Amino acid sequence: MTSLEKAAECLRTLAHPHRLRIIQILLAHEESVGELARACKLPSPMVSEHLRLLKDRGFLENRREGRRIFYRIAEPALASIMHCVESRFGSATGNPACGGEDCGN
């Protein structure tokens, strides 16, 4: 597989709004599955699946503390990718680049 094919596969993994939101949160601080589920307003099993995909691609790493699993960013370049996304489309808390409207294009 060429490096561009590998890059495209990784970008496809990132190209999901819930995964982008999870990355935004984890760039700020380590978080548990339950807290991510609450923050994203998603069921824990769905968040766990997104986390598994991101971890399998090497974007995240985790640690266990008792029964809780905490996730953190393993790939420092995610900060640059998210900066690019937020500069163009805004963040989850606001969308200045789009004037508060859905860009869609």
Side-chain angles (χ1 to χ4, degrees):
M1 185 180 276
T2 70
S3 59
L4 291 177
E5 288 170 334
K6 289 178 186 178
E9 184 62 31
C10 283
L11 289 172
R12 279 191 288 277
T13 300
L14 295 176
H16 191 285
H18 296 312
R19 289 185 210 126
L20 290 174
R21 180 63 183 132
I22 288 168
I23 290 166
Q24 274 185 324
I25 294 166
L26 293 177
L27 282 168
H29 49 83
E30 177 182 87
E31 203 57 84
S32 70
V33 176
E35 289 300 316
L36 287 167
R38 277 188 280 288
C40 295
K41 298 180 180 149
L42 295 171
S44 289
M46 184 181 290
V47 170
S48 291
E49 181 61 19
H50 288 303
L51 291 167
R52 184 192 63 76
L53 288 169
L54 291 165
K55 187 174 182 280
D56 287 351
R57 290 280 184 256
F59 293 121
L60 305 180
E61 54 192 17
N62 64 4
R63 68 175 178 85
R64 184 175 289 277
E65 190 175 293
R67 295 183 57 183
R68 295 172 64 185
I69 300 174
F70 291 86
Y71 286 84
R72 64 185 168 271
I73 299 295
E75 174 53 65
L78 283 176
S80 297
I81 292 169
M82 286 307 300
H83 176 74
C84 179
V85 168
E86 290 171 347
S87 293
R88 173 60 177 93
F89 300 104
S91 71
T93 58
N95 201 342
C98 299
E101 299 172 8
D102 180 21
C103 280
N105 52 354

